[in-house]
Amino acid sequence: MDRVVVTGLGPVSSIGIGVADFGRGLRAGRIGTSEIAGFDSTGFPYVHGGEVHGFAPQAMVRRVDPASWGRTSLFAAAAARLAVDDAGLGMGDVARDRIGAVVGTTSGESQVVEALTAQQVAGGFEALDPKLVELVPAARLAHAVSEELDASGPSITITTACSASNYALAYAYEHLCSGSADVMVAGGADSVCRWAHAGFYRMGALAERACSPFDRDRSGILTGEGGAALVLETFEHARARGARIYAEMLGYGLNCDAHHMVAPNQDDIAECVRQAHRSAGVAPGDIDYICAHGTGTRANDLVEARAIRDVFGDRPPPVSSIKSMLGHTMGAASGFGAIASTLAIADGFLPPTVNWRNQDPDMPWLDPVANVARTARVRTVQNNGFAFGGNNAITIFGAMDEVRA
């Protein structure tokens, strides 16, 4: 089995587009949430989200026509292009049938579905625009990446919601380990939309203005959007072309609570962590930092913190949530977490949890890296992703020069 390394990063986010700007945003604790402009929020009690203002896909993509794709597909394609460019990967560096695409999402082309719904309500089914209907299938997200990169290897969209990017990374990892691909571009994409915003509000999971994970007075999530892509390739392939290596992907864990759509299960999350550690060949004491799922809801954060204690004991490594800056980007969330994890390893810092004010007495063991990024020697990172239905997915990344059994 070949080793799998990360050689390119492509974030399109509310705190920065491109790896340099995104990295600066993480270090600065930049807050990307603001009053929603992407839809008419009149009548909503809460109107803040993490939108990518000024997203201009035409400045990033080269092969796909932005007029023929929805916003979410364009997030995916733009992120993939940025990641491939960051990897210094020319298309002549890999056979087109040896590079594939895996994209995670929650709602796919949610804004397109919303527009079609408005047309149907106003004028019946005859009013539906066929051009918009063509944009709906979620499979188009991965296809957009494949078309943008002229990649004819495996191409799949995974719809396991808020853990989907970690599922995508795991799927890509297996393709590389099995030898069926040399390079895989994996991550996730989703768009802010009215119906998701309304749904989370009605569920009582939406914060009014700020997301403050692990804080005593946390009140919920802010919906967010963007595209996150990582270039994964076999170590041999990366070495042969002299690629810069950010980190190594060491393994992953996947499981499902099979219990409740929105109530996470502490025992299953802890088992998913242990599974990821076994896959990666690491022990709890090897983990230097946990990039948390950390949505900012009372239930999720408490269950995640308790599952962490189950595995790590009363002195776990630092745990932070970048959702405090980005909002909850749904299918892209653990992709952004994976990018933050590799930057933490490569650049030696811990991203902060911003908007944090008070220790929660129910989780006194937790160090949330409060409000300010921290310089640190980071060798191994655990990246958590959890989703509707108890779909848990965790990826593990390590420094490349680490000697491992």
Side-chain angles (χ1 to χ4, degrees):
M1 187 179 86
D2 209 335
R3 300 168 75 181
V4 174
V5 296
V6 182
T7 57
L9 304 174
V12 179
S13 80
S14 61
I15 67 165
I17 295 176
V19 63
D21 198 24
F22 182 78
R24 285 192 294 270
L26 287 179
R27 282 181 175 276
R30 186 181 298 160
I31 295 176
T33 56
S34 58
E35 192 166 326
I36 288 173
F39 63 83
D40 181 3
S41 60
T42 302
F44 279 101
Y46 299 166
V47 297
H48 282 71
E51 292 179 305
V52 184
H53 297 299
F55 174 52
Q58 65 277 9
M60 289 176 264
V61 298
R62 297 175 199 156
R63 296 189 79 250
V64 301
D65 175 9
S68 300
W69 298 85
R71 184 175 178 85
T72 309
S73 295
L74 290 170
F75 276 140
R81 174 57 69 188
L82 290 175
V84 165
D85 286 351
D86 184 54
L89 188 68
M91 287 302 99
D93 294 332
V94 58
R96 62 191 297 270
D97 64 345
R98 299 289 297 170
I99 177 171
V102 197
V103 180
T105 191
T106 294
S107 304
E109 291 295 1
S110 51
Q111 293 189 359
V112 174
V113 172
E114 204 161 72
L116 286 167
T117 302
Q119 289 177 354
Q120 196 274 334
V121 170
F125 287 107
E126 292 300 316
L128 296 181
D129 180 350
K131 293 293 185 185
L132 279 184
V133 175
E134 290 177 5
L135 305 185
V136 170
R140 285 174 58 91
L141 272 61
H143 182 68
V145 173
S146 296
E147 185 169 321
E148 170 62 21
L149 303 180
D150 191 27
S152 65
S155 183
I156 186 168
T157 301
I158 295 176
T159 57
T160 51
C162 308
S163 62
S165 283
N166 267 351
Y167 266 90
L169 289 162
Y171 188 83
Y173 178 90
E174 290 298 336
H175 269 288
L176 295 167
C177 288
S178 69
S180 61
D182 295 322
V183 178
M184 294 291 291
V185 179
D190 260 309
S191 300
V192 163
C193 67
R194 184 184 177 91
W195 61 263
H197 189 81
F200 279 106
Y201 176 76
R202 289 294 293 149
M203 204 159 58
L206 207 61
E208 182 174 1
R209 299 182 67 89
C211 176
S212 52
F214 304 115
D215 183 86
R216 181 193 64 191
D217 302 319
R218 65 192 180 278
S219 57
I221 74 166
L222 293 177
T223 57
E225 66 178 6
L230 294 87
V231 173
L232 304 182
E233 57 186 299
T234 64
F235 173 61
E236 290 303 323
H237 191 272
R239 182 167 62 178
R241 70 180 187 87
R244 172 209 44 209
I245 295 173
Y246 282 104
E248 179 177 3
M249 183 171 170
L250 300 175
Y252 63 87
L254 309 173
N255 70 5
C256 182
D257 297 347
H259 168 65
H260 193 282
M261 277 305 293
V262 296
N265 182 280
Q266 178 180 334
D267 293 340
D268 289 320
I269 290 173
E271 178 51 31
C272 192
V273 174
R274 296 186 184 101
Q275 187 188 119
H277 290 180
R278 288 193 296 271
S279 168
V282 300
D286 296 325
I287 303 295
D288 298 310
Y289 163 61
I290 297 173
C291 191
H293 186 58
T295 58
T297 68
R298 299 206 66 77
N300 177 86
D301 289 3
L302 184 58
V303 170
E304 184 173 12
R306 286 174 171 170
I308 288 170
R309 185 180 60 175
D310 286 349
V311 176
F312 292 88
D314 288 335
R315 296 178 62 84
V319 178
S320 72
S321 172
I322 62 172
K323 290 182 179 68
S324 59
M325 295 177 261
L326 296 163
H328 193 339
T329 55
M330 309 295 162
S334 50
F336 284 122
I339 293 174
S341 297
T342 54
L343 287 176
I345 292 168
D347 295 344
F349 75 102
L350 306 182
T353 302
V354 301
N355 302 317
W356 193 92
R357 297 290 180 272
N358 299 290
Q359 187 84 44
D360 186 335
D362 290 330
M363 51 179 93
W365 58 88
L366 202 85
D367 169 9
V369 193
N371 299 312
V372 179
R374 188 181 303 165
T375 299
R377 183 175 184 268
V378 184
R379 311 298 295 173
T380 312
V381 177
Q382 173 183 315
N383 177 39
N384 290 354
F386 312 130
F388 292 133
N391 252 319
N392 307 310
I394 295 172
T395 48
I396 307 289
F397 297 90
M400 187 59 210
D401 59 348
E402 191 82 18
V403 176
R404 299 181 190 281

